Amino acid sequence: DTGVSQNPRHKITKRGQNVTFRCDPISEHNRLYWYRQTLGQGPEFLTYFQNEAQLEKSRLLSDRFSAERPKGSFSTLEIQRTEQGDSAMYLCASDGSSRNEQFFGPGTRLTVL
Amino acid sequence: GQSLEQPSEVTAVEGAIVQINCTYQTSGFYGLSWYQQHDGGAPTFLSYNALDGLEETGRFSSFLSRSDSYGYLLLQELQMKDSASYFCAVRIEGNYQLIWGAGTKLIIKP
């Protein structure tokens, strides 16, 4: 297994457009997390799935953000009507053990013009 | 609210020992994690403490005091490759969500 992968690695879009990111976790991991990180800050929790169930969603997350994990494997994060403030690195992580170690993907860097 | 405090920047010399502190105020606590992130890279897991005391993994050790809501990461025999940002993160009781500090940038001088 090659770890957590994310696509695309970079996305440039115009304000008001919709964007979708994909995350493929480590295959045996049942928990999947989405985070957002801006320069000089720690990752900010967005949402988390256990298998296909979305169990937590940050109260900071506006209705423009939605995430799915339809078959308990890969996940998608969609941002509708993007705003310049959405520009950030979007990180996906997965885990599946009791060791409390989350494995992160390389991230998708979003730039909203 | 939830908050984690850690120094924004620490400077040390190659070969030395450095300690990065983290204090937290969270509603519920299950454990404290430490992650390393190089510029342009993804966070990578270093350690996890759920109980008071010191956990040692090679050159890195992590300490937790639940009564003081405090922990630290100790890096020994510093190498230039240890130059990175280090984040403490709290896992809240009852779920797997992590709440992260703003990170400490470790600068290592030869």
Side-chain angles (χ1 to χ4, degrees):
Chain A
D1 188 87
T2 57
V4 179
S5 62
Q6 293 186 244
N7 288 288
R9 295 291 306 276
H10 304 272
K11 179 71 177 178
I12 300 173
T13 191
K14 293 183 179 179
R15 188 176 53 184
Q17 298 295 303
N18 299 343
V19 295
T20 300
F21 310 142
R22 176 178 170 126
C23 171
D24 288 87
I26 293 172
S27 57
E28 62 266 28
H29 286 178
N30 59 350
R31 290 184 292 273
L32 185 149
Y33 309 81
W34 285 99
Y35 295 91
R36 177 172 61 190
Q37 187 176 26
T38 53
L39 199 62
Q41 297 297 316
E44 175 191 14
F45 171 80
L46 296 179
T47 189
Y48 123 76
F49 292 85
Q50 179 139 337
N51 300 311
E52 65 275 10
Q54 187 174 18
L55 297 187
E56 288 260 349
K57 186 175 176 179
S58 170
R59 290 178 202 141
L60 302 174
L61 211 60
S62 79
D63 292 342
R64 297 184 298 106
F65 287 72
S66 62
E68 293 183 340
R69 194 183 183 196
K71 297 181 180 177
S73 55
F74 74 93
S75 175
T76 57
L77 177 70
E78 181 183 18
I79 309 174
Q80 296 182 326
R81 305 181 303 281
T82 52
E83 302 172 356
Q84 287 185 324
D86 297 331
S87 295
M89 177 72 84
Y90 289 83
L91 294 165
C92 174
S94 70
D95 76 52
S97 72
S98 59
R99 199 174 158 229
N100 293 288
E101 175 180 355
Q102 292 186 12
F103 294 81
F104 282 80
T108 295
R109 181 168 295 284
L110 173 66
T111 302
V112 182
L113 302 175
Chain B
Q2 323 269 32
S3 68
L4 284 83
E5 297 286 335
Q6 50 181 129
S8 59
E9 189 175 291
V10 171
T11 301
V13 177
E14 192 175 15
I17 299 172
V18 73
Q19 179 174 313
I20 299 173
N21 298 320
C22 174
T23 57
Y24 57 88
Q25 281 189 311
T26 56
S27 55
F29 176 87
Y30 193 83
L32 181 70
S33 298
W34 289 91
Y35 284 78
Q36 178 192 62
Q37 186 176 32
H38 287 97
D39 283 349
T44 56
F45 175 83
L46 293 177
S47 68
Y48 175 78
N49 295 68
L51 303 175
D52 286 358
L54 191 68
E55 294 277 344
E56 297 181 68
T57 309
R59 294 188 297 116
F60 294 1
S61 303
S62 58
F63 171 82
L64 175 66
S65 168
R66 294 174 68 117
S67 60
D68 294 323
S69 298
Y70 164 76
Y72 66 72
L73 180 70
L74 191 74
L75 297 84
Q76 303 182 71
E77 302 171 15
L78 285 172
Q79 302 174 9
M80 297 303 292
K81 67 178 182 179
D82 298 329
S83 295
S85 291
Y86 292 84
F87 294 90
C88 57
V90 165
R91 182 183 158 192
I92 301 298
E93 195 168 23
N95 67 54
Y96 289 90
Q97 178 186 148
L98 287 179
I99 298 169
W100 296 68
T104 298
K105 187 175 180 66
L106 175 61
I107 298 169
I108 299 173
K109 297 184 175 179

